[in-house]
Amino acid sequence: MAAPALDRAPAAPRRRRPARRLPAALLWGGAIIAAVVILIALAPAIAPYPYDEMNILARLQPPSAAHWFGTDEFGRDVLSRVLIGGRLSLIMGFGATALCLALGVPLGLLAGYRRGRVDEAIMRVMDVIMSFPPILLGLLVLAVGTPSFWKAVLAVGLVYVPSMVRLTRSVTLNLVSEEFIVAAHARGEGAAYILFSEILPNAWPPIAVEASLKVTFAILLGASLSFLGMGAQPPSSDWGLMISGARPLVNSAPWVALAPGLAMCLTVIGINLLGDGLREALDPRMVRAHRQ
Amino acid sequence: MAEPLLAISDLSLTYETPRGALQALDGVSLAVEAGEAVAVVGESGSGKSSVALAIMGLLGREAMLSGSIRFEGRELTGLDAKARRELRGRAIGMVFQDPFTSLNPSLTIGEQVAEPLVYGRDLRRSAALARAIAALGEVGLANPAALVTAYPHQLSGGMQQRVLIAAAVIAGPRLLVLDEPTTALDVTVEAQILDLLDGLRRDRRLGMLFITHNLGVVNRIADRVCVLYAGRVVELGSREEVLGSPAHPYTKGLLASLPRLSLGERGRRIAPIPGRFPDLTDPPAGCIFAPRCPFVEERCRAETQPLLELAGSRAVRCWKSGALGAWPAPGPPRAATHPLPAQGSAPLVAAQTLSKLYQRGRAGGGLAWSRRLGVLPWPRLRSEIVRAVDRLSLAVGRGEVVGLVGESGSGKSTLGRIMLRLVEPSSGRILFDGADITALPQKALAGLRKRAQIIFQNPDSSLNPRRRVGEAIGRAVVLHADGRVPDLRARVERLLDRVGLPPAYYDRYPHQLSGGEKQRVGIARALATGPRFIVCDEPVSALDVSVQATILNLLGDIRDELGVSYLFISHDLSVVAHIADRIAVMYSGRICEMGTAEAVLAPPYHPYTEALLSAAPTPIPGAQRRQRVRLRGDSAPAAAERAGCPFHSRCPRKLGAICETMEPPLLEPRPGHSIACHLPLAELARVPPVIPAEPCARACGGFDPS
Amino acid sequence: MAFYVLKRLLAIAAILAVMSVLIFLITQILPGNVAQVIAGQFASPETVAAVAHRLGLDQPLLVQYWRWASGILGGDLGVSLVMERPVAPVLFHALGNSALLAALSFVFVVLVGIGLGILAAIRHGGILDHCASIFTYVGISVPEFFWGIVLILVFARYLDWLPSGGAAAWGEGLGPWISHLVLPAATLTFTLIAHVSRLTRSSMIETLRSQYVRNARAKGLPERVVLLRHALRNALLPTITVLAIDVGWLIGGVVVVEAVFAYPGIGRLLIFAIQHHDLPLIQASILVIAAIYCLANLIADLLYAYFNPKIRYGRASA
Ligand code: SF4
Ligand code: SF4
């Protein structure tokens, strides 16, 4: 038996897009990163020992109840050092990415919007920068003066500027020919309004995904530089530096290297998951669209 | 009775979506005989492409299919993948819509055409290539032996579609499935391809299943028609029956909502189909068309409608079909509240000898260091100059609608944007309200920006997806107001009302709107500054016919009420003929004919106008053209071929060397009507009219034109 | 095509010239007066000045650059300050070692990475795809130096199958020679395979969704032909570009891995030079590495152009 006929308004508004399920990767990545960030933020409070407290009597002790991750060659507590050192890795990752965004996005917007000479000039400079393999460029920048952590952040940030410029530029180029941008021109909007109110809000999803990738690249490259002795300096407990210091001890006390290494892997996997989840959530092609 | 070539019965297709099961096809039945062309017609979302993919066995794994598809008496639905594959190409060929993406960019044409023979018929490669050359010749491609080694990107769209057809028929299939094969092409090329398909069908006794949204194309090619709405067959019958005396309300509505290419139609409102497409995850109970049907009764909503057999091979899914009147007329012709300006009064906007030159490629090579992921520009030693607009003059009077017709690449959009100073001209002058605005700096254009606006083609790209409807329209109001606007919301709501949208749409985002609604928002946004002149850049081309009608009516009403002028750009002559007071026909950057709509649609024609009119498909059965004018080739002239008349490389009436060297003179058959051609007027005037002077009443979907 | 190659070569030359200026300028502002370093900490100002004069360090920058650059063009890379030997032989010996390591890894990366990516794409959503994606996740998340240490732990310490570092000379026989290469090469490939296979997978999946693949299926071609003839060719085009980027990663990896395994290659040489402020050595090794990278990119571009008919043939003039 048919249900009583409902009176359908002829122009019933199309229902809202169905609420999308958040991708699992986003949730997992978010959870891991949240945990890592909280632990590291609370590190000064929860670390069982000061990170640089030496104890000659307790050198190279394997993991135990007193020292969960054991101690290093100076008897320092590895767990405390990993917790405190994580801050440097996060600063490296997010600081370098912030720098790269701050330089790369405006340049990319400008190149894509103005085109012509401005574009040409910006892109040729970027090409030169990109002609160096990333680590070489980092080393080149760091070769000036004594190495330090902040210089390493600067170097890593600079290394990734060109790819950010390229991405922003290509997104901008695609958007500039969209009809709603032409409409903005047609009603007489200025360049600043078009760039920041019309283009940027639509350009940020791919930029955000790219930035999340950059965070992991930056953490890894920064750690590599520290490992090579070109970044953070002893006695700081940067993860890369800790592993570098533990390299000769691998045979006798592997935990000294394993603890910071695993911490770094966990962090990077978390950010990668977050980035993938972000891409899935933002990329309309990947959303199972209502087939019509 | 012998089994038909293809028999589909009770075919249903369901997809699982997050919102529940989506019924894409529901009980579809149809048959195709050998040598017969059956058209499946429907708007977007009707499920017509799914029918094609189901026949080919190319639906994705997530599709749940039931019912039966029999080919030459053999059931296809249960066959294993290998048996299905062996039928493809050899028994059933398919041609897809978009030739530009359907050819593999890194294989030669010859390889792609010969492939089905090599892998399906176990032919040696050399023998297959020889057959491919023959097949390319058969589909009307000149110099097929040379084409074999070419790559797809070196061919024009029309040539690419011919190649796809050659590849689809080379292994000798008995059935050809065509999914909108001409939609991506220009009308003159479409006409050529339709001729080709017609010939193939006759020569090879091919059965054809032709999927399209275009009723004119149906009338041109089909023997029988199957009208699909929301995944259901609503009407089935011969072409004459379905197009000539439609029985289902939806078919009537579709026919009534088409603008007609005829002189008697101008200024009349078109009858749209109200409402919108049903949600297929939650279809209405009873008749699927009930929410939009003007003849609806209580019984329609209560009972599911079966497909009722009528006399002959006809079937209709409507219990009332025998007793229906005409589709309701849309109200009286528009009252011209703003009479046209007298001849000779100063125009509102005028383009004087405008040119726009683009440089393709970079001059001189230089030290371009581009690499990776982007386009790698092929360096040219000698860069090519493309004349998008070539010394062109055009004026739009106050309150006048000037239609600009041309095919893709003719430069019509560029011209529209130049007239608003959105693209800078290379030379020439633009006058707005008598003032020269060609050289004004952008900052000094506030006056123009307020009084001249633009409406776009693509509803998806014309609105900023991250901005509410109200903000998008309000921004234009604020920008041109002096100081703050206290009653902004009320003003925006008035604009929404003006374009027929409820005030609640103020807070919607574009993705919550349908295509037609987005287009309305685009119109409201253009109206927000109170313009006197609007460039309408293909405003209805991306819309379904039933929606197209409502937008055309709306644009007509706005013109009549507010007295704005339009430059109405379109590739579709019937749309332009419907709305324009004067028509300019553009080819390759130049205007070849211009005059009042009546003058342009009747002889004497410019040879290009004649070809356009002759190619434009109309849905009136019996109104077949006495003679068909077909153009040679399908691509715009290269820079070297531009000397003389730009049309000479394709003109069917070309006189000879004079057309290649001398610029044609402007003929004036009557005041205000100009034709640029070397042919003498007397000869042009001898051409019989291409379109009937009066549309026949019966043919208009039963709607009385009086 | 010929014009294209010529143009790219010119561009490479221009980039290298700009790079040499950059390298020269940056290394010139290195801390510590080089002459002071050479003369020794306690040398008198006169001695320092004499050393500076002998090395030409008291001349204007432009002259110094010219002498350096023209030397390089003539094949003279300068003299190492610390080792007090010509840079060229030292550099090329180390380069040979590194090239061996890098080439070995690269071949592995290309074969395994592309193969894995294609398999994962074809079995999209299957078990193999999931395993591969977990593997690649770990792969791109583990820094080379840590992965190297893990390998040393497992294969050198616990299993004691392979040496934990250094390199063996040819004279010691094939066995030791190979055994010294295995761990560094494995370390290098791990990350890169992950990267290459991820990108190959996504480009293959995109290609499999394309219209022309659907059209090929509609022509009734066997699935094998659809995959190999139609999809693979086009899917590999972006992979070529990815491989060029990965040469940059590979160079970075080589520097790190050589440090982990104490492998006598150009990476270790460079770190040594930076730590000892050995200017000519720094300049020469950076320039050589950068030049190799540019060359790799050139090769990738040419391959891309060769396999992409749109570039190889340009557009027909209708
Ligand atoms: S059944 Fe009723 S609602 Fe449906 S088409 Fe026929 S008249 Fe209209
Ligand atoms: S001038 Fe010649 S080529 Fe041009 S339209 Fe007239 S007849 Fe044709």
Side-chain angles (χ1 to χ4, degrees):
Chain A
M1 164 65 210
L6 287 171
D7 212 339
R8 280 163 195 278
R14 180 180 283 199
R15 60 181 71 187
R16 267 179 164 277
R17 253 196 288 193
R20 289 200 217 116
R21 254 181 341 130
L22 285 177
L26 192 67
L27 297 178
W28 278 105
I32 294 176
I33 292 309
V36 168
V37 168
I38 290 173
L39 279 178
I40 288 173
L42 296 180
I46 59 173
Y49 303 88
Y51 78 98
D52 52 354
E53 183 185 82
M54 301 199 198
N55 183 351
I56 306 297
L57 295 179
R59 293 175 60 214
L60 295 178
Q61 288 194 351
S64 66
H67 300 280
W68 290 4
F69 289 175
T71 60
D72 68 5
E73 74 271 33
F74 299 112
R76 297 175 294 199
D77 179 53
V78 173
L79 173 63
S80 308
R81 287 179 63 73
V82 167
L83 284 174
I84 300 284
R87 185 177 310 177
L88 292 182
S89 270
L90 290 187
I91 292 178
M92 170 60 81
F94 290 99
T97 307
L99 179 70
C100 156
L101 283 172
L103 288 176
V105 171
L107 281 175
L109 282 174
L110 197 67
Y113 181 72
R114 293 289 297 276
R115 289 181 265 189
R117 293 238 172 87
V118 179
D119 181 23
E120 197 73 357
I122 293 177
M123 293 323 285
R124 291 303 80 83
V125 173
M126 294 303 137
D127 282 341
V128 173
I129 300 182
M130 274 185 103
S131 304
F132 289 94
I135 201 158
L136 213 57
L137 189 60
L139 287 176
L140 194 61
V141 174
L142 287 173
V144 186
T146 46
S148 82
F149 176 72
W150 289 107
K151 255 200 235 160
V153 174
L154 189 75
V156 172
L158 286 179
V159 165
Y160 292 122
V161 166
S163 58
M164 193 54 85
V165 173
R166 275 167 175 267
L167 176 83
T168 314
R169 170 177 177 272
S170 77
V171 175
T172 310
L173 273 178
N174 284 339
L175 282 170
V176 161
S177 54
E178 291 274 322
E179 289 173 345
F180 67 85
I181 302 293
V182 182
H185 283 291
R187 64 171 184 264
E189 300 282 7
Y193 179 88
I194 289 179
L195 271 178
F196 293 105
S197 299
E198 301 275 357
I199 292 181
L200 198 54
N202 288 292
W204 77 262
I207 293 178
V209 170
E210 179 76 5
S212 77
L213 271 181
K214 290 282 175 274
V215 174
T216 67
F217 287 2
I219 291 179
L220 294 177
L221 182 59
S224 296
L225 290 175
S226 290
F227 179 81
L228 295 173
M230 297 289 147
Q233 296 298 313
S236 129
S237 65
D238 179 272
W239 291 343
L241 190 64
M242 281 177 77
I243 298 175
S244 161
R247 163 74 182 86
L249 309 172
V250 174
N251 287 323
S252 50
W255 56 85
V256 187
L258 285 182
L262 291 176
M264 180 161 3
C265 293
L266 186 73
T267 311
V268 173
I269 287 181
I271 300 174
N272 271 328
L273 281 171
L274 200 67
D276 266 18
L278 204 61
R279 169 167 35 215
E280 210 175 309
L282 295 176
D283 185 349
R285 276 186 315 171
M286 290 206 156
V287 180
R288 279 215 292 166
H290 182 167
R291 292 179 55 103
Q292 282 239 333
Chain B
M1 198 175 108
E3 181 109 30
L5 183 66
L6 175 80
I8 298 177
S9 60
D10 210 19
L11 189 72
S12 294
L13 173 65
T14 320
Y15 288 103
E16 215 44 70
T17 72
R19 301 194 296 142
L22 184 148
Q23 187 87 29
L25 292 177
D26 187 0
V28 170
S29 302
L30 61 96
V32 182
E33 303 282 352
E36 180 191 46
V38 174
V40 176
V41 202
E43 296 180 280
S44 49
S46 62
K48 54 190 192 301
S49 290
S50 303
V51 174
L53 294 177
I55 295 170
M56 299 304 289
L58 288 174
L59 287 166
R61 249 173 282 162
E62 65 283 1
M64 287 171 288
L65 202 62
S66 71
S68 127
I69 304 172
R70 295 174 75 80
F71 178 74
E72 294 179 334
R74 186 169 168 206
E75 179 59 49
L76 299 188
T77 44
L79 284 185
D80 65 12
K82 184 160 182 291
R84 274 322 271 278
R85 179 173 67 65
E86 280 166 0
L87 283 173
R88 295 203 281 264
R90 273 162 279 177
I92 310 177
M94 176 149 187
V95 177
F96 287 96
Q97 164 170 5
D98 188 355
F100 310 98
T101 55
S102 293
L103 286 169
N104 190 326
S106 60
L107 291 177
T108 60
I109 299 298
E111 299 272 351
Q112 298 193 53
V113 175
E115 239 171 10
L117 294 177
V118 177
Y119 298 102
R121 296 254 185 252
D122 295 324
L123 232 60
R124 293 253 314 284
R125 255 193 88 228
S126 50
L129 275 178
R131 293 266 301 273
I133 294 178
L136 289 172
E138 190 186 345
V139 296
L141 286 164
N143 202 358
L147 265 183
V148 159
T149 55
Y151 283 89
H153 71 275
Q154 296 169 307
L155 273 56
S156 68
M159 289 164 85
Q160 289 179 345
Q161 193 59 289
R162 286 174 194 270
V163 168
L164 280 171
I165 293 172
V169 299
I170 193 166
R174 275 88 71 198
L175 176 71
L176 193 58
V177 179
L178 302 123
D179 188 0
E180 303 256 14
T182 57
T183 306
L185 306 173
D186 282 326
V187 266
T188 52
V189 182
E190 172 180 81
Q192 296 171 350
I193 297 285
L194 292 178
D195 288 348
L196 165 68
L197 290 172
D198 232 13
L200 279 176
R201 175 164 69 99
R202 257 188 273 280
D203 296 346
R204 301 182 167 231
R205 250 181 82 71
L206 266 177
M208 285 211 288
L209 190 75
F210 198 103
I211 287 158
T212 182
H213 69 282
N214 187 330
L215 289 168
V217 169
V218 171
N219 186 33
R220 170 78 185 71
I221 193 134
D223 301 311
R224 288 194 305 119
V225 184
C226 163
V227 182
L228 220 55
Y229 178 75
R232 289 151 183 81
V233 176
V234 294
E235 180 161 2
L236 203 59
S238 72
R239 176 187 61 190
E240 286 77 17
E241 289 165 342
V242 174
L243 297 182
S245 53
H248 193 278
Y250 176 62
T251 321
K252 286 175 190 282
L254 267 189
L255 281 161
S257 60
L258 273 183
R260 288 300 159 80
L261 185 55
S262 60
L263 298 173
E265 280 286 311
R266 294 204 39 260
R268 183 179 293 126
R269 293 171 62 88
I270 327 170
I273 302 177
R276 62 157 94 199
F277 201 76
D279 177 358
L280 291 183
T281 59
D282 179 23
C287 173
I288 189 94
F289 191 57
R292 303 173 73 181
C293 182
F295 311 107
V296 63
E297 281 183 36
E298 200 51 42
R299 183 173 160 196
C300 305
R301 295 204 181 93
E303 291 173 11
T304 317
Q305 295 295 320
L307 197 59
L308 300 172
E309 305 272 340
L310 303 185
S313 61
R314 265 193 119 175
V316 179
R317 200 182 285 274
C318 171
W319 65 276
K320 278 179 76 177
S321 66
L324 292 176
W327 187 263
R334 292 194 301 267
T337 43
H338 286 262
L340 281 187
Q343 286 281 329
S345 65
L348 180 62
V349 200
Q352 296 177 346
T353 56
L354 271 187
S355 287
K356 177 68 189 177
L357 279 56
Y358 286 110
Q359 211 171 44
R360 201 186 274 161
R362 190 200 304 271
L367 277 184
W369 169 257
S370 66
R371 48 169 199 181
R372 282 188 191 163
L373 302 178
V375 270
L376 287 156
W378 170 252
R380 282 161 187 280
L381 289 165
R382 164 175 55 90
S383 77
E384 190 183 349
I385 304 283
V386 179
R387 289 177 178 274
V389 176
D390 188 7
R391 289 160 297 151
L392 181 151
S393 301
L394 179 73
V396 181
R398 286 162 214 279
E400 188 186 35
V401 178
V402 173
L404 188 61
V405 196
E407 299 188 327
S408 54
S410 60
K412 53 192 192 304
S413 259
T414 309
L415 175 65
R417 290 179 190 205
I418 292 177
M419 288 175 83
L420 296 183
R421 283 284 312 275
L422 292 170
V423 168
E424 298 298 330
S426 306
S427 64
R429 292 207 306 160
I430 314 158
L431 302 179
F432 190 87
D433 223 351
D436 188 343
I437 57 160
T438 327
L440 284 183
Q442 287 289 344
K443 285 193 180 61
L445 284 176
L448 175 74
R449 298 278 173 250
K450 189 166 155 52
R451 287 182 302 160
Q453 276 297 321
I454 178 165
I455 299 169
F456 299 95
Q457 164 176 13
N458 188 344
D460 292 321
S461 116
S462 65
L463 297 177
N464 186 337
R466 301 199 175 265
R467 212 155 246 238
R468 285 171 204 278
V469 164
E471 292 166 359
I473 302 172
R475 176 71 196 174
V477 176
V478 171
L479 200 64
H480 291 281
D482 313 314
R484 291 193 55 241
V485 187
D487 60 339
L488 182 62
R489 183 162 184 131
R491 280 176 65 174
V492 172
E493 284 175 357
R494 270 205 300 282
L495 282 163
L496 283 173
D497 183 54
R498 177 66 280 243
V499 296
L501 291 174
Y505 274 49
Y506 188 96
D507 293 311
R508 297 259 163 100
Y509 280 99
H511 68 77
Q512 295 168 280
L513 310 184
S514 70
E517 287 166 346
K518 284 182 212 166
Q519 211 58 326
R520 287 170 191 268
V521 174
I523 294 172
R525 179 180 61 190
L527 291 179
T529 59
R532 306 306 310 146
F533 173 59
I534 300 180
V535 173
C536 304
D537 191 356
E538 301 257 18
V540 297
S541 311
L543 305 174
D544 275 323
V545 257
S546 59
V547 183
Q548 185 175 326
T550 61
I551 298 294
L552 277 179
N553 283 342
L554 176 64
L555 286 172
D557 292 348
I558 288 172
R559 197 285 287 262
D560 290 344
E561 271 170 47
L562 307 176
V564 257
S565 313
Y566 294 151
L567 179 67
F568 194 99
I569 300 170
S570 178
H571 68 280
D572 187 342
L573 248 180
S574 19
V575 168
V576 168
H578 175 80
I579 198 163
D581 303 311
R582 283 195 302 138
I583 297 181
V585 182
M586 198 166 167
Y587 184 83
S588 189
R590 304 220 42 147
I591 285 179
C592 40
E593 177 166 4
M594 176 149 62
T596 59
E598 290 78 7
V600 171
L601 294 179
Y605 301 117
H606 185 276
Y608 179 62
T609 315
E610 188 190 355
L612 267 187
L613 282 169
S614 165
T618 65
I620 307 169
Q624 299 296 6
R625 311 287 149 58
R626 248 160 297 172
Q627 88 197 93
R628 296 206 182 102
V629 185
R630 292 291 180 262
L631 298 186
R632 296 180 285 147
D634 53 20
S635 46
E641 295 171 321
R642 290 193 55 90
C645 170
F647 187 48
H648 77 80
S649 58
R650 296 178 70 197
C651 180
R653 294 162 165 271
K654 184 176 149 187
L655 281 169
I658 184 172
C659 295
E660 292 170 19
T661 49
M662 292 248 305
E663 200 149 300
L666 270 192
L667 310 174
E668 280 230 8
R670 49 204 135 199
H673 183 196
S674 59
I675 296 177
C677 184
H678 283 299
L679 282 170
L681 245 186
E683 184 165 344
L684 289 175
R686 265 205 298 280
V687 178
V690 177
I691 54 171
E694 268 308 307
C696 63
R698 193 181 62 89
C700 298
F703 138 60
D704 182 12
S706 61
Chain C
M1 188 78 187
F3 185 61
Y4 178 76
V5 174
L6 193 74
K7 195 179 127 172
R8 295 305 323 270
L9 280 174
L10 274 177
I12 293 256
I15 289 259
L16 282 178
V18 175
M19 263 170 145
S20 72
V21 174
L22 264 180
I23 293 170
F24 185 79
L25 283 181
I26 290 180
T27 46
Q28 281 301 320
I29 40 178
L30 271 179
N33 185 326
V34 178
Q36 183 87 56
V37 173
I38 293 172
Q41 218 177 337
F42 305 108
S44 65
E46 290 77 34
T47 331
V48 175
V51 171
H53 184 72
R54 181 162 57 85
L55 295 175
L57 295 177
D58 52 353
Q59 286 176 0
L61 266 183
L62 210 60
V63 177
Q64 289 191 45
Y65 173 73
W66 174 247
R67 282 185 22 193
W68 179 68
S70 55
I72 289 175
L73 288 178
D76 169 21
L77 297 181
V79 176
S80 160
L81 299 181
V82 179
M83 295 189 249
E84 298 188 318
R85 281 196 287 159
V87 167
V90 179
L91 191 66
F92 286 116
H93 178 73
L95 188 65
N97 280 339
S98 296
L100 184 69
L101 183 59
L104 199 69
S105 315
F106 197 67
V107 171
F108 262 112
V109 167
V110 171
L111 294 180
V112 181
I114 293 181
L116 199 64
I118 290 169
L119 279 181
I122 295 173
R123 303 258 169 277
H124 181 41
I127 293 178
L128 184 77
D129 186 21
H130 284 300
C131 291
S133 87
I134 291 173
F135 167 76
T136 55
Y137 247 106
V138 178
I140 56 169
S141 304
V142 180
E144 284 103 347
F145 55 90
F146 180 60
W147 174 238
I149 284 177
V150 171
L151 286 184
I152 290 179
L153 259 181
V154 175
F155 290 98
R157 184 178 175 218
Y158 291 111
L159 299 174
D160 201 12
W161 288 352
L162 296 161
S164 70
W170 256 121
E172 297 169 45
L174 196 63
W177 185 75
I178 290 186
S179 69
H180 278 97
L181 275 174
V182 173
L183 284 188
T187 309
L188 268 181
T189 42
F190 184 54
T191 314
L192 287 179
I193 285 180
H195 190 230
V196 170
S197 71
R198 259 170 89 90
L199 289 162
T200 308
R201 172 180 176 272
S202 63
S203 122
M204 187 75 181
I205 286 179
E206 193 158 309
T207 313
L208 285 175
R209 288 201 189 120
S210 70
Q211 273 288 343
Y212 55 81
V213 165
R214 193 162 76 159
N215 193 48
R217 293 215 167 100
K219 284 197 277 191
L221 304 183
E223 194 60 20
R224 172 181 50 88
V225 178
V226 172
L227 289 178
L228 296 183
R229 224 172 114 86
H230 283 265
L232 193 57
R233 263 181 101 113
N234 294 292
L236 285 187
L237 269 183
T239 308
I240 294 178
T241 315
V242 168
L243 285 176
I245 299 174
D246 279 352
V247 171
W249 284 36
L250 190 67
I251 291 173
V254 165
V255 174
V256 172
V257 164
E258 287 178 359
V260 174
F261 291 93
Y263 185 90
I266 196 167
R268 253 181 99 211
L269 191 68
L270 175 62
I271 300 295
F272 169 87
I274 294 179
Q275 278 163 349
H276 292 87
H277 298 299
D278 190 341
L279 256 184
L281 196 54
I282 298 178
Q283 291 169 336
S285 37
I286 290 192
L287 194 64
V288 166
I289 298 177
I292 291 173
Y293 185 51
C294 281
L295 225 61
N297 272 307
L298 174 70
I299 292 171
D301 280 1
L302 295 184
L303 279 178
Y304 188 94
Y306 182 76
F307 284 116
N308 187 346
K310 282 190 192 162
I311 299 177
R312 192 151 44 122
Y313 293 104
R315 188 163 257 295
S317 49

